[in-house]
Amino acid sequence: MKSHAKVVVIGGGVVGCSVLFHLARHGWTDVVLLERDELTSGSTWHAAGGMHTINGDPNVAKLQKYTISLYKEIEELSGQATGVHLTGGVLLAATEARLDWLRGVVAKGRYLGIDLEEISANEAAELMPLLDPKQFVGAVRNKEDGHLDPSGVTHAYAKAARKLGAEVERFTKVEDIVRRPDGLWRVITNKGEVVAEHVVNAGGLWAREVGRMVGLELPVLAMEHMYLITEDMPEVAAWNAKTGTEIIHAVDFDGELYLRQERGGMLMGTYEKANKVWSEFSTPWNFGHELLEPDIDRIAPSLEVGFRHFPAFERTGIKQIINGPFTFAPDGNPLVGPVRGLPGFWVACGVMAGFSQGGGVGLALSNWMIEGDPGADIWAMDVARYGDWATMTYTNAKVRENYSRRFSIRFPNEELPAGRQLKTTPIYDLLAAKGAQWGVSYGLEVPLWYAPSGVKDEFSWRRSSDFTHVAKEVATVREGVGLAEISNFAKYKVTGEEAAAWLDRIFACKLPKPGRMTLAPMLKDDGKLIGDFTLANVGDGEWFIAGSGIAEQYHMRWFEAHLPGEGSVRIEALGQKMTGLAIAGPKARDVLAKVSRADVANAAFPFMAVAKMDIGMAPCLVGRVSYTGDLGYEIWVAPEYQRAAFQALMAAGEEFDIGLFGSRALNALRLEKNYGSWAREYRPIYGPLEAGLDRFVAYGKDANFIGKAGALAERKLGGKLRLRTFILDADDADVIGDEPIWFGGAVRGWVTSGGYAHHPKKSVALGYVPKEIADESDGFEIELLGKRHAARMQAAPLFDANFERMRG
Ligand SMILES: Cc1cc2nc3c(=O)[nH]c(=O)nc-3n(C[C@H](O)[C@H](O)[C@H](O)COP(=O)(O)OP(=O)(O)OC[C@H]3O[C@@H](n4cnc5c(N)ncnc54)[C@H](O)[C@@H]3O)c2cc1C
């Protein structure tokens, strides 16, 4: 075994082997994979080998499509058969709600290049003869479904990597990982030590143990999973003989089943409701090529549905039941990327669909390691989407929930119950008493809307029980004054003698003067966005930044990686050490004036001013800015003072009929202003010009800010896309995001977010289209629940286009 390597990959399952292959293919050949046993000795060897392109997140779906397209290449390169059978498949809907969901999947497929087609239940039965069409209301055909040989694929990756110069060491167990003072990693094994610049944790079932070697508790948990293989079935033999083809795949969402042909019989797997965690706290090192005891009682309810939906199964014996463990992150997507605070330590774990996702994970990680950027939008699987709040108990609750809901519909207005009330703010009970309906953001309970007693969300794809109540909250803001809790923003404090110089380099905007704020785009080296913030110069060398709450860990990873080493700049993520309240509406200033001794008149405290002031007795930091696009203030307050500040504002607001508004009303309000948000409109695949944030980029400033060259190039060449706002002729449903935008009879763009703007009473969608059609005003259509709706471009904001309210 070599003593030094550029990269050590820990784990020879399908994911580790894919990472190794991609690193070598990308030109890093001084790389070695360490496997404690034979390759495939974790979850990989007993997988059912199914592969498919669809995923709830379109960017993950793209990487799944890439994974499937890769198998031919690695088979040719390695000479190792992968056993790929691209049979195609049907996705089945037994209810209308499921069919609505599937229509959304078909629609997304249009701009992802995934060939999906809605078909009737009878047409599905013609393709997949074992199903009873009477049990279904419709289906979708997917030509890119199939299955493969898990061991063959893993060995093909490994062999192809070796051919390119990478090394694989089997029976080499990593026992410890130690960071040297010079930043290199000592990877200590039962056969000696390798010193490496980078370490990749692809430990699969043991990813937690490998993480713990560097003090990291990863939010990963293994679940038992069962599939059965039947005896040979005459129906299968007859179909094979008649058509000369295999029986195609089927996913029966409502039965929570997946099926495919396995030799002369069928394989049927299920994500049972009565699921079981495996090895809750740590994975035994002596586990390897064993299977777990099958428990037919646990899967019996699913099998019953299976027998009804696929009657031939009832007439057939079960040859074998496989029960094996595999890992999940709390949301079921992989954990990939560099780990904050551990330079050179990377993870590629929590991959629950290794044969659909392994290739994409390997590609993204190798790009990231070599180029400094994953090369794709992988937010949905970035390890930084979790913070310390994703504890072991939280993970346990969410993984179990996610497993049992693997095939369940999640409606856009549906909040899931597991892992809740983990983080609450001091005014939680006060808001709850006012009827707050809660959602969750980065572990924190956030008020979505306020319901009268006895009313709650009815889950639906369409406008629902909250509609008229959210409309009232919107009216409260636009006509008087509303108060919202905004503690879910990320908040950062920056100090230090070099703080200004550092901020000037990290942000693309001009730095604000003391007492002023600005919108601050943050760019990557390639000039694309990596964040959008409000940057406030509080004075006396103190800076305050507010940004996207869900991206706190993601942004801290970036900030810290770019801090000067000598400690001349300090940045702290304040988390819930700083809570937030917002007041907005034409009467907002009147309310503030009543509770503050500061002069808050427009001349003294204009738009984008920031100052420390007391609200009642509570010391606060107040910025004159509002995401509602109205006259408004954001108030930042330490948690011990939040109740006092809240009560002072509510009492002062009484004479102006102050009312509470939640994040759904806030969404409706910001849509009227064409305001985007991080992880929706602003993502690392868009440039500032494309995203309409170029007006905040100080292209000419002296500081050589990160991404300057890329941003200048984008400005010169014009980029490819443009973010635009559309008004839809919608009936009873509004966009939620990821719907296709049609123009001239073809899909040309996609929606990033939207909803109903209650104040102008319009259905609004924000989305990207190619710049060539970005100045057309008409002729667009947006596909919603299987129907194309005429859409017009809305260039000027629907509300306060001349900024009179906001600045007045
Ligand atoms: C019953 C079942 C059916 C499944 N069906 C499918 C399916 O149809 N399609 C699909 O895509 N996925 C399926 N899966 C999931 C799939 O198996 C996983 O997504 C995949 O195997 C994960 O691969 P991995 O490389 O991340 O982890 P693993 O396969 O667990 O590999 C991790 C490797 O790391 C090694 N290792 C760990 N720690 C160390 C150390 N300290 N030193 C050295 N080596 C170490 C282990 O020995 C192991 O070989 C199924 C899983 C199960 C259990």
Side-chain angles (χ1 to χ4, degrees):
M1 183 172 71
K2 52 162 76 180
S3 59
H4 285 75
K6 187 145 187 99
V7 184
V8 168
V9 178
I10 303 171
V14 63
V15 174
C17 290
S18 167
V19 170
L20 189 77
F21 164 72
H22 281 91
L23 286 170
R25 190 178 69 171
H26 207 130
W28 277 14
T29 51
D30 180 17
V31 291
V32 56
L33 181 147
L34 307 180
E35 165 55 50
R36 67 185 180 110
D37 202 309
E38 288 285 5
L39 296 180
T40 77
S41 292
S43 298
T44 297
W45 73 274
H46 47 53
M51 55 181 192
H52 48 87
T53 41
I54 70 159
N55 185 286
D57 184 278
N59 296 297
V60 177
K62 270 189 226 165
L63 290 172
Q64 294 192 181
K65 188 173 159 65
Y66 163 78
T67 301
I68 293 172
S69 72
L70 189 66
Y71 291 131
K72 207 160 164 253
E73 178 186 339
I74 57 168
E75 189 167 277
E76 278 167 12
L77 241 162
S78 64
Q80 162 77 51
T82 55
V84 167
H85 295 230
L86 205 58
T87 57
V90 281
L91 311 170
L92 300 164
T95 63
E96 288 298 334
R98 171 64 66 186
L99 199 54
D100 276 348
W101 179 84
L102 278 176
R103 286 179 181 136
V105 172
V106 174
K108 269 185 238 177
R110 295 195 213 287
Y111 63 80
L112 293 170
I114 299 174
D115 188 4
L116 302 167
E117 179 197 359
E118 186 181 335
I119 55 176
S120 69
N122 283 331
E123 286 168 320
E126 281 165 27
L127 296 167
M128 202 292 184
L130 304 184
L131 68 85
D132 174 4
K134 291 195 290 301
Q135 305 293 332
F136 299 99
V137 298
V140 163
R141 181 185 186 166
N142 184 3
K143 295 198 178 129
E144 286 164 292
D145 272 359
H147 58 97
L148 44 70
D149 167 17
S151 168
V153 162
T154 309
H155 282 96
Y157 276 131
K159 280 187 187 165
R162 275 209 215 94
K163 279 203 170 160
L164 295 167
E167 291 178 29
V168 175
E169 297 286 348
R170 292 172 307 142
F171 303 101
T172 308
K173 180 183 167 217
V174 174
E175 295 184 327
D176 205 359
I177 309 167
V178 179
R179 185 139 189 261
R180 302 198 321 189
D182 64 1
L184 296 180
W185 293 94
R186 289 172 59 207
V187 182
I188 299 155
T189 78
N190 57 341
K191 292 191 176 162
E193 185 172 319
V194 190
V195 173
E197 277 175 48
H198 301 272
V199 176
V200 179
N201 175 0
L205 285 178
W206 295 266
R208 281 180 307 179
E209 281 64 29
V210 174
R212 285 171 193 157
M213 292 176 192
V214 294
L216 189 67
E217 190 60 46
L218 287 163
V220 175
L221 183 67
M223 300 293 289
E224 293 193 11
H225 181 67
M226 281 181 268
Y227 62 84
L228 60 84
I229 296 170
T230 69
E231 304 284 1
D232 288 357
M233 293 165 78
E235 294 83 353
V236 172
W239 177 265
N240 294 163
K242 185 175 126 195
T243 63
T245 61
E246 270 180 284
I247 295 207
I248 65 170
H249 273 233
V251 178
D252 172 3
F253 290 99
D254 303 282
E256 301 182 321
L257 299 161
Y258 61 86
L259 299 85
R260 69 166 171 86
Q261 184 171 342
E262 171 71 14
R263 300 177 193 274
M266 291 293 292
L267 179 155
M268 182 192 271
T270 181
Y271 286 82
E272 71 279 13
K273 290 279 182 243
N275 53 51
K276 194 166 167 205
V277 169
W278 182 73
S279 258
E280 198 162 350
F281 305 109
S282 59
T283 307
W285 287 109
N286 60 3
F287 186 81
H289 277 261
E290 302 89 329
L291 286 170
L292 308 174
E293 193 62 36
D295 180 353
I296 193 134
D297 288 346
R298 264 196 358 250
I299 57 171
S302 308
L303 297 187
E304 251 175 56
V305 182
F307 292 163
R308 210 171 54 240
H309 288 183
F310 307 91
F313 275 78
E314 212 168 4
R315 301 188 286 271
T316 313
I318 295 173
K319 193 160 75 183
Q320 196 186 4
I321 299 182
I322 305 283
N323 184 11
F326 66 123
T327 55
F328 295 77
D331 61 4
N333 276 333
L335 296 176
V336 178
V339 176
R340 176 184 163 203
L342 295 175
F345 192 85
W346 305 77
V347 293
C349 59
V351 183
M352 62 77 54
F355 300 95
S356 301
Q357 300 174 338
V361 167
L363 177 70
L365 198 74
S366 64
N367 282 338
W368 214 335
M369 294 174 75
I370 297 171
E371 309 285 348
D373 188 277
D377 186 342
I378 61 126
W379 167 248
M381 53 186 199
D382 192 327
V383 62
R385 71 190 183 279
Y386 291 104
D388 293 345
W389 50 272
T391 58
M392 192 187 258
T393 308
Y394 168 88
T395 301
N396 189 302
K398 287 307 278 184
V399 168
R400 294 174 73 125
E401 177 186 69
N402 182 64
Y403 184 98
S404 69
R405 295 183 47 93
R406 170 98 178 103
F407 288 145
S408 307
I409 295 173
R410 181 170 179 188
F411 292 96
N413 60 343
E414 183 172 6
E415 297 295 322
L416 302 180
R420 298 299 299 273
Q421 297 192 324
L422 171 59
K423 284 198 259 175
T424 54
T425 64
I427 58 168
Y428 177 83
D429 59 330
L430 300 178
L431 303 184
K434 300 271 187 195
Q437 303 296 299
W438 301 94
V440 68
S441 171
Y442 204 62
L444 178 74
E445 296 294 317
V446 290
L448 301 172
W449 61 290
Y450 292 85
S453 164
V455 182
K456 59 184 173 53
D457 269 322
E458 277 161 28
F459 303 147
S460 171
W461 298 107
R462 298 179 162 77
R463 292 174 196 155
S464 183
S465 42
D466 63 334
F467 191 78
T468 51
H469 306 287
V470 173
K472 275 193 203 135
E473 292 173 28
V474 166
T476 300
V477 173
R478 289 286 184 248
E479 290 162 20
V481 54
L483 185 150
E485 148 128 82
I486 53 164
S487 302
N488 58 317
F489 277 67
K491 291 120 317 191
Y492 310 89
K493 180 178 169 182
V494 183
T495 52
E497 62 267 30
E498 293 298 323
W502 180 72
L503 291 166
D504 215 9
R505 175 162 163 66
I506 215 100
F507 291 124
C509 60
K510 205 160 152 264
L511 293 194
K513 302 245 175 323
R516 302 288 303 158
M517 299 183 292
T518 185
L519 288 183
M522 185 162 80
L523 309 182
K524 300 184 290 165
D525 298 300
D526 62 2
K528 304 237 192 254
L529 293 165
I530 193 162
D532 75 305
F533 302 87
T534 312
L535 171 66
N537 185 343
V538 183
D540 296 328
E542 186 184 326
W543 301 80
F544 178 83
I545 306 170
S548 164
I550 54 168
E552 183 188 279
Q553 182 88 334
Y554 175 85
H555 285 138
M556 276 306 278
R557 182 176 65 193
W558 181 264
F559 290 144
E560 286 175 350
H562 292 85
L563 279 181
E566 73 283 10
S568 55
V569 181
R570 290 175 295 283
I571 180 159
E572 186 189 355
L574 298 172
Q576 294 311 311
K577 281 194 247 168
M578 189 65 95
T579 58
L581 299 168
I583 52 169
K587 299 284 178 206
R589 184 164 34 228
D590 298 333
V591 174
L592 187 64
K594 275 184 76 181
V595 292
S596 166
R597 288 163 190 265
D599 183 357
V600 294
N602 197 28
F605 198 59
F607 181 61
M608 282 297 185
V610 65
K612 288 182 179 169
M613 63 177 84
D614 297 346
I615 304 276
M617 292 188 291
C620 299
L621 178 70
V622 179
R624 191 174 146 192
V625 66
S626 177
Y627 197 49
T628 62
D630 218 310
L631 169 66
Y633 303 86
E634 289 179 353
I635 298 161
W636 304 107
V637 54
E640 58 271 33
Y641 298 117
Q642 195 200 18
R643 282 178 88 91
F646 172 76
Q647 278 159 334
L649 288 163
M650 291 302 282
E654 223 175 296
E655 69 170 281
F656 306 103
D657 290 331
I658 194 167
L660 296 171
F661 67 105
S663 58
R664 288 190 189 159
L666 186 59
N667 184 53
L669 292 160
R670 65 101 195 180
L671 288 173
E672 294 182 59
K673 292 293 291 181
N674 302 347
Y675 289 163
S677 67
W678 183 254
R680 277 296 188 186
E681 285 69 37
Y682 310 140
R683 297 186 69 120
I685 46 174
Y686 307 123
L689 174 64
E690 293 179 323
L693 292 178
D694 51 318
R695 63 189 188 280
F696 304 110
V697 174
Y699 293 95
K701 76 175 180 180
D702 291 343
N704 191 19
F705 62 89
I706 297 170
K708 189 174 191 174
L712 284 167
E714 189 205 31
R715 189 170 66 162
K716 190 165 163 213
L717 302 171
K720 292 195 178 112
L721 304 167
R722 289 294 182 272
L723 178 63
R724 290 290 183 255
T725 302
F726 301 90
I727 309 290
L728 265 81
D729 291 340
D731 336 313
D732 61 345
D734 306 293
V735 299
I736 48 175
D738 300 329
E739 294 83 0
I741 303 176
W742 292 74
F743 184 80
V747 173
R748 303 295 305 277
W750 53 88
V751 172
T752 46
S753 72
Y756 191 75
H758 288 275
H759 178 61
K761 297 192 172 39
K762 294 205 185 314
S763 186
V764 176
L766 267 60
Y768 281 90
V769 292
K771 70 173 181 215
E772 292 74 26
I773 58 168
D775 294 323
E776 301 286 342
S777 54
D778 250 319
F780 292 94
E781 288 172 310
I782 294 181
E783 186 172 341
L784 189 54
L785 299 175
K787 202 175 137 196
R788 279 149 66 175
H789 298 261
R792 290 169 309 286
M793 199 171 293
Q794 178 68 36
L798 288 161
F799 174 72
D800 197 28
N802 301 323
F803 307 106
E804 283 155 12
R805 271 277 271 270
M806 192 167 78
R807 292 172 198 258

